[in-house]
Amino acid sequence: MASTLAISNALQHIVNHGLTTQRFTLRPFQRADLEAFSAYRAEPKVAKYQSWTDYSYRDAVALFENMDYAQFGAADTWFQLAIVTAASLVTPATLVGDLALHFIDEQQMEIGFTIAPEYQGQQVAFEAVSALLDYLFVELDKHRVIAITDTQNLASCRLLEKLGFRREAHYVKNIFFKGAWGDEYLYAMLREDYIAP
């Protein structure tokens, strides 16, 4: 079990330095990300299973300005982390997607993920969410992580199952979504499932 100091340091590390995977950095959003962020969120393919229909630059600015990364880790808060490619001397870092983190309480998290259309099908979400789960269970010592997805979002369902999430619930017509009642699946993973040999 991680100490309070270790957890505090881990929370500050992601805010100040991000998390690094083989191909990406997961870090807090910067104002410079917002144009690309709003562009891919406005794509109908991306918005299909999301809470928005269209997404403007103003929406992105409002979301960005409402996130206070100094409160990262506080109970009942939501944050977005940018998924960016590594910069090189030849190419700048590119925003390819984002992760949503909901700190439900001290021990439980809800996560979400959105990938820009041109980067879908390239294992971006798998790599990013894998690193995020490691951070949440190992560094932050979280007890449980959940994800909720539309039952028709087969790509999301496949990803969560590939990552080892267990489908715990099928909510039938529980959400009025874009003019119709829709079904959702709740997926969950416990720390003991993740850490188990």
Side-chain angles (χ1 to χ4, degrees):
M1 182 175 252
S3 71
T4 303
L5 179 59
I7 291 171
S8 178
N9 289 340
L11 287 167
Q12 287 307 308
H13 180 81
I14 198 170
V15 170
N16 296 327
H17 306 288
L19 298 175
T20 303
T21 73
Q22 184 175 349
R23 298 180 294 162
F24 307 109
T25 299
L26 316 178
R27 60 155 173 77
F29 265 82
Q30 300 169 358
R31 193 169 287 275
D33 298 323
L34 301 183
E35 189 173 320
F37 177 67
S38 59
Y40 71 72
R41 281 190 159 210
E43 291 280 338
K45 179 180 179 180
V46 172
K48 183 175 182 177
Y49 299 113
Q50 302 285 7
S51 60
W52 61 86
T53 300
D54 39 58
Y55 202 86
S56 69
Y57 181 76
R58 288 178 71 185
D59 294 325
V61 170
L63 178 69
F64 177 74
E65 290 179 349
N66 284 326
M67 284 188 292
D68 178 3
Y69 288 103
Q71 298 299 314
F72 190 79
D76 199 28
T77 57
W78 280 93
F79 293 93
Q80 302 295 128
L81 293 178
I83 306 169
V84 295
T85 59
S88 71
L89 295 173
V90 184
T91 58
T94 302
L95 179 69
V96 299
D98 63 275
L99 299 172
L101 288 78
H102 177 202
F103 291 85
I104 298 170
D105 57 32
E106 296 297 321
Q107 292 297 316
Q108 298 184 91
M109 299 288 305
E110 179 180 355
I111 63 167
F113 39 86
T114 306
I115 307 300
E118 60 270 30
Y119 296 97
Q120 292 178 7
Q122 299 177 35
Q123 301 295 310
V124 173
F126 181 80
E127 186 173 328
V129 176
S130 294
L132 180 62
L133 289 172
D134 199 62
Y135 173 74
L136 295 175
F137 285 126
V138 177
E139 301 296 323
L140 297 188
D141 199 32
K142 294 298 182 186
H143 168 67
R144 187 168 188 258
V145 175
I146 67 166
I148 299 172
T149 188
D150 190 295
T151 60
Q152 295 179 27
N153 189 344
L154 301 180
S156 181
C157 295
R158 281 192 301 270
L159 173 66
L160 292 165
E161 290 167 9
K162 181 178 178 181
L163 287 162
F165 278 81
R166 172 180 48 258
R167 186 184 302 168
E168 291 191 347
H170 179 172
Y171 301 123
V172 178
K173 296 186 180 181
N174 70 309
I175 185 168
F176 195 75
F177 183 72
K178 299 185 179 178
W181 286 101
D183 291 11
E184 292 179 313
Y185 290 139
L186 180 137
Y187 285 90
M189 184 184 296
L190 297 174
R191 183 179 189 278
E192 61 204 52
D193 300 329
Y194 185 81
I195 302 296

